[in-house]
Amino acid sequence: MVKVNIDRDRCYGLGQCVLAAPDVFDQDDDGIVWLLVEEARPEQHDEVRQAALACPRQAIGVAD
Ligand code: SF4
């Protein structure tokens, strides 16, 4: 399992994380990132890391 953290204060609602990992990230009515799961399943690890890299605000943390 990989733990996923988000910093909603940093998020600008650009949506790159949702495109990369739609089963892990969503956006609220204001477009701010919303976490659907706090621990990613093994098959989600690559897309979670991709989302963290894609976020232009470094709002996503991934910890093994
Ligand atoms: S990619 Fe980053 S800035 Fe964009 S919605 Fe996701 S967390 Fe927010």
Side-chain angles (χ1 to χ4, degrees):
M1 289 287 191
V2 159
K3 291 196 173 189
V4 186
N5 300 294
I6 52 172
D7 183 344
R8 287 170 49 85
D9 290 337
R10 293 185 69 89
C11 177
Y12 274 11
L14 303 168
Q16 298 301 317
C17 55
V18 179
L19 289 174
D23 294 336
V24 178
F25 302 99
D26 200 354
Q27 290 169 278
D28 67 16
D29 289 344
D30 295 322
I32 303 302
V33 65
W34 187 257
L35 205 49
L36 297 174
V37 297
E38 293 186 355
E39 292 193 353
R41 298 190 308 271
E43 63 270 26
Q44 296 172 319
H45 290 181
D46 284 349
E47 62 185 41
V48 164
R49 291 194 174 96
Q50 197 64 38
L53 287 172
C55 177
R57 297 286 299 157
Q58 287 87 47
I60 299 171
V62 179
D64 292 310

